[in-house]
Amino acid sequence: MRTQVCIIGGGPSGLLLSQLLHLKGIDNILLEKHTRDYVLSRIRAGVLEHGFAALMREAQCGERMDREGEIHDGFIIAHDGRQSRVDLHKYSGGNSVIVYGQTELTRDLYDAREKSGGQLVLEADEVQPHDLTSAAPYVTYRKDGAEHRIDCEYVIGADGFHGVSRKSIPANVLREYEKVYPFGWLGVLSRTKPVNPELIYVKHERGFALCSLRSQVLSRYYIQVPLTDKVEDWSDDAFWAELKRRLPEEVAARLITGPSIEKSIAPLRSFVAEPMRYGNLFLAGDAAHIVPPTGARGLNSAASDIHYLYHALLDHYQKGDDRGLENYSAKALARVWKAQRFSWWMTTMLHSFPDSIEYDRKLQQTDLAYLFSSEAAQSSLAENYVGLPF
Ligand code: RFL
Ligand code: PHB
């Protein structure tokens, strides 16, 4: 098989790029290790920045997002016995975010790719890129017991944190930066009415908690847990009881609980791999960088990579201009590091750290006191949360 662009990974990054390129007549094949149902079963992001939403519309996949997604103009931070509202709209110059689940967005992208006859290979095993620094790279994989080969011009590594793409960059070229946090988030999805119309981020001495939602009948809640905890340790009743202990009393009193329809623990990690290009391989999304979910930046950072990569490939194929491809890594990383900084700051301000000293806890309190006493500080939070410009 031969194509212009071979995309490894059928998560939101790979699918979005595949669809955008397809609409501009750039031939591409996407290889995904798992089934579509498996990819859709992973409950992840819920908050989309407007730049991401714009890309979904450009990909002609924004219709259901615009119909069913909820526009949020602000969120609450509960801390030190208070509930303080961050007015995103006011402090970001009229912007907002859209609450629309990654599962639904990924479903929309799969539907669009399938409707337009996109070349998707699902359950592709042993995917391996080759000859990445030559002008004729290729990707091999196994499917139904047979070996296949795709010759292409560019390989896009959009295969997430555990993918094969980043691992194909030689160790003497790749530089990795990593920070592992000493806790994880236990998340529960339940078919219940959300406790609040807006998200509530909770800083509590027992640990962080988050009340989020997918729709008016579907809630998503998280609590900070030690890394040693296992999902099996947490019955639904234990989860709800612990969440209630961390919520402000009047919020806990109106919390509607129900059986969990998904429950999982995600460890919190910050990670960046540099450079994001090696020869004709370009990394995008979680394949190159991870943030703790506190700032809702992960999927949104993936979207900015796709924005840069899409325009770079368009310039290459339509105008013969390679400057975008040459600058891709530096440009993407500049924005990636800002998302890293913001996510680290939100995480540090709102979580309980097992090894913190009294001094650290005073600084956390002061960070929040300063935030809600300063319009400049709230503007800084708001412009990062709604998404810095691409
Ligand atoms: P994905 O979604 O991991 O997709 C990668 C795909 O590649 C496939 N794959 C392979 N395919 C072929 N060959 C191989 N060798 C392969 N290895 C892997 C995988 O099967 C998969 O389908 O990466 P992508 O597309 O870059 O998307 C990134 C986002 O998924 C991620 O950043 C977000 O989910 C992060 N995140 C959030 N981001 C936000 O912007 N806002 C949020 O509110 C938000 N909340 C979250 C989150 C992530 C969470 N977890 C569980 C990590 C909440 C949580 C709890
Ligand atoms: C979610 O709804 O899953 C979610 C929302 C906001 C975050 C992280 C996760 O910061």
Side-chain angles (χ1 to χ4, degrees):
M1 280 190 280
R2 172 166 289 283
T3 189
Q4 290 172 300
V5 180
C6 180
I7 300 172
I8 305 177
S13 302
L15 288 165
L16 182 57
L17 184 65
S18 172
Q19 173 70 0
L20 288 165
L21 293 178
H22 163 81
L23 291 174
K24 296 289 183 189
I26 298 171
D27 195 58
N28 66 86
I29 300 178
L30 183 149
L31 302 175
E32 164 57 47
K33 187 179 184 174
H34 294 286
T35 62
R36 172 184 155 133
D37 284 347
Y38 176 88
V39 176
L40 294 181
S41 70
R42 292 177 302 193
I43 306 297
R44 290 180 161 189
V47 174
L48 310 181
E49 62 183 50
H50 53 98
F52 191 106
L55 267 184
M56 285 292 284
R57 291 180 199 115
E58 189 165 348
Q60 298 178 8
C61 292
E63 200 194 309
R64 200 160 67 95
M65 173 191 75
D66 282 328
R67 200 173 57 242
E68 296 177 14
E70 284 186 17
I71 293 181
H72 282 220
D73 287 334
F75 63 84
I76 310 290
I77 298 183
H79 64 103
D80 308 299
R82 277 193 293 280
Q83 291 182 50
S84 309
R85 180 166 189 267
V86 177
D87 190 333
L88 294 174
H89 193 260
K90 176 174 172 190
Y91 290 115
S92 71
N95 275 324
S96 51
V97 291
I98 299 185
V99 170
Y100 187 64
Q102 180 168 334
T103 305
E104 299 314 314
L105 171 154
T106 309
R107 192 192 309 280
D108 296 341
L109 288 165
Y110 268 113
D111 285 350
R113 291 312 294 122
E114 281 164 9
K115 214 165 107 189
S116 50
Q119 305 180 79
L120 304 182
V121 181
L122 300 175
E123 297 180 271
D125 267 338
E126 297 172 35
V127 172
Q128 187 61 53
H130 305 269
D131 288 2
L132 292 166
T133 52
S134 84
Y138 64 98
V139 179
T140 53
Y141 66 95
R142 292 188 74 79
K143 167 110 183 161
D144 302 328
E147 175 100 5
H148 300 268
R149 168 176 170 144
I150 299 174
D151 289 285
C152 57
E153 286 149 18
Y154 296 110
V155 179
I156 309 302
D159 46 354
F161 184 64
H162 300 287
V164 67
S165 302
R166 189 179 68 252
K167 292 177 193 135
S168 2
I169 303 180
N172 63 343
V173 175
L174 195 70
R175 177 124 197 233
E176 297 183 339
Y177 303 82
E178 184 172 43
K179 182 177 173 70
V180 176
Y181 295 85
F183 40 73
W185 280 16
L186 168 64
V188 158
L189 187 71
S190 68
R191 216 170 288 290
T192 49
K193 186 175 160 53
V195 71
N196 199 58
E198 292 186 338
L199 273 70
I200 309 180
Y201 289 81
V202 185
K203 173 177 174 279
H204 191 278
E205 60 195 20
R206 295 184 65 89
F208 171 83
L210 172 62
C211 305
S212 182
L213 61 147
R214 292 290 176 274
S215 71
Q216 279 314 306
V217 290
L218 201 55
S219 297
R220 180 69 165 161
Y221 297 104
Y222 297 97
I223 55 172
Q224 173 187 346
V225 292
L227 276 180
T228 44
D229 280 17
K230 304 265 170 294
V231 180
E232 306 80 70
D233 303 337
W234 284 91
S235 65
D236 287 0
D237 287 348
F239 175 85
W240 295 120
E242 184 56 31
L243 177 63
K244 279 185 178 178
R245 279 186 211 111
R246 299 184 190 185
L247 296 180
E249 248 173 58
E250 63 86 15
V251 179
R254 57 186 157 86
L255 177 72
I256 299 170
T257 64
S260 62
I261 48 180
E262 194 269 357
K263 197 192 283 165
S264 51
I265 294 182
L268 266 64
R269 183 199 303 265
S270 302
F271 175 87
V272 182
E274 292 186 354
M276 286 172 64
R277 173 190 191 171
Y278 173 65
N280 287 316
L281 168 73
F282 293 82
L283 300 179
D286 278 19
H289 43 80
I290 299 276
V291 283
T294 327
R297 291 299 82 207
L299 181 56
N300 292 306
S301 294
S304 74
D305 294 349
I306 297 305
H307 170 89
Y308 296 136
L309 206 42
Y310 166 55
H311 286 282
L313 288 166
L314 274 190
D315 285 350
H316 169 78
Y317 283 112
Q318 294 182 339
K319 300 182 206 152
D321 178 351
D322 281 352
R323 280 175 302 178
L325 290 174
E326 275 147 24
N327 296 334
Y328 168 70
S329 180
K331 208 166 170 181
L333 282 166
R335 193 175 189 275
V336 159
W337 276 109
K338 289 177 191 153
Q340 292 283 328
R341 185 206 68 82
F342 179 67
S343 305
W344 159 82
W345 173 69
M346 286 280 281
T347 302
T348 306
M349 182 169 68
L350 297 175
H351 287 74
S352 294
F353 286 75
D355 57 353
S356 72
I357 54 175
E358 195 55 30
Y359 178 85
D360 300 325
R361 293 190 285 276
K362 274 283 182 195
L363 279 190
Q364 280 181 313
Q365 270 176 15
T366 307
D367 222 343
L368 282 156
Y370 168 62
L371 174 64
F372 290 109
S373 67
S374 158
E375 297 215 321
Q378 286 167 73
S379 297
S380 169
L381 193 170
E383 75 164 350
N384 279 279
Y385 195 89
V386 302
L388 295 170
F390 286 155

